Amino acid sequence: VPGQARQDEAVRYFWSIAPDADGIELKVSDHLLFFDCGANLQGIVCPHCGGDVPVDWWQEQMEDNYEDEFLSLRLYATPCCGKPVTMADLKYDWPQGFARFGIDAMNPQIGELQPEEKRRFEEILGVQLRVIYQHL
């Protein structure tokens, strides 16, 4: 989790590239959070065999990963080839992620984040980022 000064700078930078956003929010937790793509999810694929992972199987495993309201990443045998994966290992079409830190913009009205903008966020925060587009 980036330090507070880096977080504040990232929020300022986000406002500079998305001044018409409905809001920008930091999400910081002592526990793992799930950052989903919402209605953008098109499918889930096994990283071992490339087989499709049924959404109902995935939902059951995600529910099982919550203990006392906290998310963990347990190993499961995939339904396609039986190899072990965590929910973070799966390949999502559109990207999703698991982290303790995130920065969200509601309706940023800037289209896709440009590669140079993503690099700038990574410089500011000192971490690699995964961009997740969520459609509610």
Side-chain angles (χ1 to χ4, degrees):
V1 174
Q4 189 63 54
R6 287 178 178 263
Q7 293 176 32
D8 294 342
E9 186 178 348
V11 169
R12 283 191 297 274
Y13 177 64
F14 217 149
W15 278 117
S16 77
I17 63 172
D20 297 325
D22 291 341
I24 295 175
E25 177 185 7
L26 289 169
K27 294 186 178 178
V28 181
S29 175
D30 291 334
H31 306 282
L32 203 55
L33 302 171
F34 175 54
F35 294 90
D36 68 280
C37 65
N40 285 332
L41 184 63
Q42 299 296 308
I44 306 167
V45 175
C46 174
H48 299 292
C49 71
D52 290 334
V53 173
V55 173
D56 58 341
W57 178 87
W58 176 83
Q59 288 173 327
E60 288 175 20
Q61 307 333 303
M62 282 296 292
E63 288 174 16
D64 186 58
N65 273 274
Y66 281 93
E67 186 173 307
D68 297 326
E69 299 182 28
F70 298 118
L71 179 62
S72 63
L73 289 176
R74 297 184 180 124
L75 282 173
Y76 298 94
T78 58
C80 43
C81 64
K83 296 211 172 148
V85 294
T86 68
M87 298 298 99
D89 296 328
L90 296 169
K91 305 296 182 195
Y92 297 98
D93 179 15
W94 291 42
Q96 305 196 101
F98 299 82
R100 292 181 42 232
F101 169 80
I103 183 170
D104 291 344
M106 176 67 80
N107 300 320
Q109 302 180 44
I110 60 172
E112 289 188 17
L113 195 66
Q114 298 302 305
E116 61 272 9
E117 293 167 335
K118 180 181 181 235
R119 278 193 297 278
R120 181 66 184 129
F121 273 116
E122 290 175 336
E123 289 171 4
I124 291 168
L125 293 166
V127 297
Q128 288 187 335
L129 299 177
R130 176 178 296 165
V131 177
I132 299 170
Y133 297 98
Q134 183 183 58
H135 181 79
L136 302 175

